[in-house]
Amino acid sequence: MVSRISGSRSRSRSASGAVAPETTYFGRAIAGLREVTVRPEFILDEVPAPTRLAPHAVALSGEVMTSHLVDDDDPAATGRFVLLHDPSAPEPWEGTWRVVSYAKAQMEPEVGHDPLAGAAGWSWLTDALEAAGLQWAAPAGTVTCVTSESFGALSERQPTVDLEIRASWTPVLVAGREAQELTAHLGAWGDLLCTLAGLPPLPEGVVPLSGVRR
């Protein structure tokens, strides 16, 4: 994934809007998100986080651009990754951390008629987490295929099929390795986006660049 990176660094914000200093547990735990390694086609941006879901939150949006030849090309896949932290450990979470994610990409038309498309989409997420050697709890989500057909003056447009994956899960973290493992959860979500975009895995020995654009 090379991301387009600016030289600025913005601090994370808590759900109340207050800046979360890097000296806090939350700040230290998410520090690695700003140094995540991404492949050339994957662009990450830090965006405003939701304010009512948890005491602390950070949000990133992602786009996969499969062509660098035309600046205004539409992304092949888009999504959002939100990391929540609530020290009170809400019962549905089964932990103090929660990832809430969204991923969307346009698929081949036949996907819209495939009864296994939903199961395949969900397996792409779990496969990405498993490939990173991660542990998680309380997974929940939906996979939706949206078929769009045009009529009348727009009847010449071909039907399109969008696959949308909305998923949340609780990262199960090893004490002392929170920053590394939360970064790995973000990386697994990025791998999901690249899979949706139809990108092959990076060849062995290829080193991606680092950074989150702000």
Side-chain angles (χ1 to χ4, degrees):
M1 314 169 196
V2 176
S3 65
R4 293 179 287 188
I5 308 163
S6 70
S8 63
R9 292 176 60 87
S10 62
R11 296 180 180 177
S12 61
R13 293 183 178 272
S14 70
S16 64
V19 172
E22 297 299 334
T23 55
T24 66
Y25 172 71
F26 178 73
R28 293 193 304 270
I30 69 165
L33 299 186
R34 297 195 173 98
E35 307 300 333
V36 64
T37 55
V38 293
R39 61 187 286 173
E41 301 89 349
F42 188 31
I43 301 166
L44 276 175
D45 288 293
E46 190 169 352
V47 296
T51 60
R52 298 182 180 180
L53 299 180
H56 304 282
V58 64
L60 299 167
S61 69
E63 294 182 343
V64 179
M65 305 295 294
T66 56
S67 172
H68 300 285
L69 301 179
V70 181
D71 290 339
D72 60 354
D73 271 356
D74 292 331
T78 61
R80 180 164 293 199
F81 180 95
V82 178
L83 179 63
L84 309 173
H85 178 57
D86 188 340
S88 70
E91 184 176 349
W93 291 13
E94 299 181 16
T96 60
W97 296 92
R98 189 72 176 171
V99 170
V100 179
S101 70
Y102 171 75
K104 176 182 177 180
Q106 190 171 114
M107 312 300 288
E108 296 296 327
E110 56 266 23
V111 173
H113 304 288
D114 186 348
L116 299 179
W122 186 258
S123 70
W124 292 337
L125 170 63
T126 57
D127 288 350
L129 293 169
E130 290 175 356
L134 298 171
Q135 299 293 321
W136 67 95
T142 61
V143 181
T144 306
C145 273
V146 179
T147 301
S148 298
E149 297 184 58
S150 300
F151 301 92
L154 302 178
S155 60
E156 293 183 359
R157 292 184 179 179
Q158 295 297 313
T160 61
V161 175
D162 291 319
L163 187 71
E164 300 179 354
I165 302 174
R166 301 177 186 270
S168 62
W169 67 91
T170 295
V172 178
L173 308 176
V174 176
R177 289 186 48 82
E178 291 89 350
Q180 297 94 319
E181 294 192 358
L182 289 173
T183 299
H185 280 268
L186 172 60
W189 172 79
D191 289 342
L192 168 66
L193 274 189
C194 291
T195 298
L196 285 174
L199 295 182
L202 282 175
E204 186 175 354
V206 173
V207 179
L209 301 184
S210 303
V212 176
R213 184 178 64 176
R214 294 177 183 79

